[in-house]
């Protein structure tokens, strides 16, 4: 019987060539839409409903290439999640994108200053996602 | 089964939804996301929307019923509802949600008139409920027609 080298994928150590994006949004509808937008752009997606769950996942799953998070969430906002990610030595390299349905310049600036890669206004379009991913994930 | 006719009816219903302002361009985005890998994407999202919005609206109903004067809380619920409406292109509902939020904001200025604000909120909310119900009816009819009409291959087969 053949013995497998460990990883269930073919090829090298990464499970697939597609970048893995972690989407965070408390809205059921928005999670479904953003997941589809990212999948359509050929990314592997994991969607969670809170900052807390995002951090839990980041703890166990090392291969996240980008985080895209809603700003307005109960308990932990997208901004707070961004801060936590940037303050962590393991996670700070991961680009974080914020989404919001509200166009508040001070909010946008604060996020960018805290290290957000980009700030997208909802509803997010396919063109936003492909432009973003081309730049961030190369 | 006259698939061509059913398709035509569905197309007409769909056009009406846009022409009458029930839906906006965001709905096209959903349609763009539908493909072989997710052949029922639009209907799935819409179904999710109606389930989720019904829940949010029940929360709002309850809060209004109890004459809760926590307008901030009402605003948060409404922001969530408006967000979902925006995501599927539910244009008329979105407009009514905005109007509701305006009512809540007025309270911050005229704190002493909270009862009349509550009244305004309730009336505004009735409008939201009506729009919700109409949109639901129309979209359910639309998807039913699509289902009856079957996959596109049927309609495009030469059928003289």
């Amino acid at each position: 019987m053949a013995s497998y080298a460990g990883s269930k994928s073919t090829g090298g150590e990464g499970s697939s060539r597609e970048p893995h994006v972690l989407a965070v949004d408390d809205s059921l509808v928005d999670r479904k839409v953003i997941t589809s937008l990212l999948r359509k752009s050929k990314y592997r997606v994991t969607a969670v409903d809170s900052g807390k769950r995002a951090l839990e996942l980041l703890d166990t799953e090392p291969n996240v290439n980008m985080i895209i998070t809603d700003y307005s969430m109960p308990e932990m906002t997208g901004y707070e999640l961004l801060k936590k990610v940037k303050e962590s030595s393991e996670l700070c390299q991961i680009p974080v994108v914020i989404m919001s349905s509200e166009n508040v310049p001070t909010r946008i600036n604060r996020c960018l200053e805290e290290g957000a890669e980009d700030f997208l206004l909802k509803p997010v379009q396919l063109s936003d996602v492909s432009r973003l991913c081309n730049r961030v994930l190369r | 089964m006259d698939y061509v006719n059913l398709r035509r009816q569905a197309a007409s219903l769909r056009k009406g939804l846009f022409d009458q302002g029930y839906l906006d361009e965001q709905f096209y985005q959903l349609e763009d996301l539908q493909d072989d890998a997710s052949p029922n994407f639009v209907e799935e999202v819409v179904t999710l929307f109606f389930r989720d919005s019904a829940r949010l609206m029940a929360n709002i109903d309850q809060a209004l019923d109890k004459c809760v004067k926590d307008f901030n809380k009402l605003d948060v619920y409404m922001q969530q509802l408006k967000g979902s409406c925006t995501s599927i292109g539910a244009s008329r509902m979105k407009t009514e949600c905005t109007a509701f939020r305006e009512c809540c904001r007025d309270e911050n200025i005229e704190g002493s008139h909270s009862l009349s604000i509550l009244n305004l909120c309730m009336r505004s909310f009735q409008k939201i409920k009506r729009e919700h119900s109409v949109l639901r009816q129309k979209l359910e009819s639309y998807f039913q027609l699509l289902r009856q009409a079957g996959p596109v291959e049927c309609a495009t087969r030469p059928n003289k």
Side-chain angles (χ1 to χ4, degrees):
Chain A
M1 187 153 340
S3 59
Y4 295 103
S7 161
K8 52 184 169 188
S9 61
T10 57
E13 39 107 35
S15 61
S16 67
R17 296 243 211 97
E18 312 162 316
H20 180 202
V21 180
L22 174 60
V24 191
D25 200 319
D26 61 313
S27 160
L28 216 52
V29 173
D30 288 359
R31 267 202 311 284
K32 188 164 174 82
V33 175
I34 192 71
T35 297
S36 179
L37 280 168
L38 289 163
R39 289 216 175 113
K40 192 101 177 167
S41 310
K42 305 279 188 282
Y43 302 106
R44 186 161 69 93
V45 190
T46 303
V48 297
D49 65 0
S50 68
K52 178 165 178 258
R53 276 211 231 277
L55 290 169
E56 282 168 8
L57 188 128
L58 287 163
D59 227 0
T60 57
E61 163 73 66
N63 298 316
V64 170
N65 303 105
M66 183 174 83
I67 299 167
I68 182 163
T69 177
D70 189 27
Y71 182 92
S72 307
M73 297 187 290
E75 286 160 28
M76 192 190 299
T77 65
Y79 175 73
E80 286 160 356
L81 175 61
L82 164 70
K83 276 187 75 175
K84 286 202 163 37
V85 168
K86 292 303 163 187
E87 280 164 9
S88 151
S89 47
E90 288 109 16
L91 307 173
C92 60
Q93 295 304 317
I94 307 175
V96 181
V97 174
I98 314 275
M99 304 179 281
S100 176
S101 53
E102 298 182 309
N103 190 351
V104 182
T106 46
R107 176 187 291 186
I108 299 173
N109 285 331
R110 197 155 56 110
C111 289
L112 293 174
E113 274 163 23
E114 198 61 42
E117 194 64 38
D118 206 338
F119 193 105
L120 300 177
L121 283 176
K122 284 182 167 183
V124 176
Q125 313 280 305
L126 252 174
S127 53
D128 294 324
V129 171
S130 50
R131 196 185 54 233
L132 175 72
C133 291
N134 283 338
R135 191 161 49 86
V136 176
L137 296 170
R138 263 169 251 115
Chain B
M1 254 273 157
D2 191 353
Y3 296 114
V4 175
N5 195 22
L6 284 168
R7 288 243 134 223
R8 210 176 283 143
Q9 280 179 54
S12 167
L13 221 167
R14 179 182 172 279
K15 184 171 188 296
L17 284 164
F18 285 105
D19 289 348
Q20 292 157 37
Y22 286 101
L23 294 175
D24 62 32
E25 326 76 54
Q26 180 58 18
F27 196 79
Y28 297 140
Q29 180 71 126
L30 299 184
E31 291 176 328
D32 280 346
L33 290 172
Q34 184 157 300
D35 56 19
D36 291 335
S38 325
N40 302 308
F41 181 74
V42 185
E43 190 174 357
E44 284 167 9
V45 179
V46 169
T47 304
L48 209 61
F49 167 76
F50 281 112
R51 206 186 311 151
D52 197 47
S53 55
R55 177 189 60 89
L56 279 167
M57 286 164 65
N59 287 342
I60 297 167
D61 237 335
Q62 214 176 41
L64 287 171
D65 252 353
K66 291 188 187 157
C67 294
V68 168
K69 285 175 209 144
D70 185 351
F71 292 102
N72 283 327
K73 188 184 199 146
L74 281 173
D75 189 62
V76 168
Y77 285 142
M78 199 45 75
Q79 189 188 4
Q80 291 177 326
L81 182 59
K82 184 182 166 188
S84 292
C85 293
T86 306
S87 295
I88 72 151
S91 183
R92 283 204 192 183
M93 266 193 78
K94 189 169 74 160
T95 303
E96 296 302 339
C97 288
T98 304
F100 184 101
R101 294 184 78 197
E102 286 307 306
C103 294
C104 292
R105 298 236 172 95
D106 286 342
E107 191 273 340
N108 294 328
I109 313 166
E110 309 169 73
S112 52
H113 301 290
S114 59
L115 262 179
S116 55
I117 301 295
L118 203 59
N119 247 317
L120 279 172
C121 286
M122 283 179 173
R123 259 187 283 153
S124 179
F125 190 53
Q126 290 313 309
K127 289 194 190 158
I128 295 173
K129 282 202 218 176
R130 260 199 309 273
E131 290 298 338
H132 186 257
S133 168
V134 170
L135 184 64
R136 178 184 234 151
Q137 246 169 37
K138 287 180 184 275
L139 283 172
E140 274 174 5
S141 303
Y142 173 62
F143 288 120
Q144 190 173 47
L145 278 169
L146 281 183
R147 257 179 271 130
Q148 287 172 325
V152 193
E153 297 81 66
C154 294
T156 55
R157 224 184 300 142
N159 206 359
K160 292 271 157 61

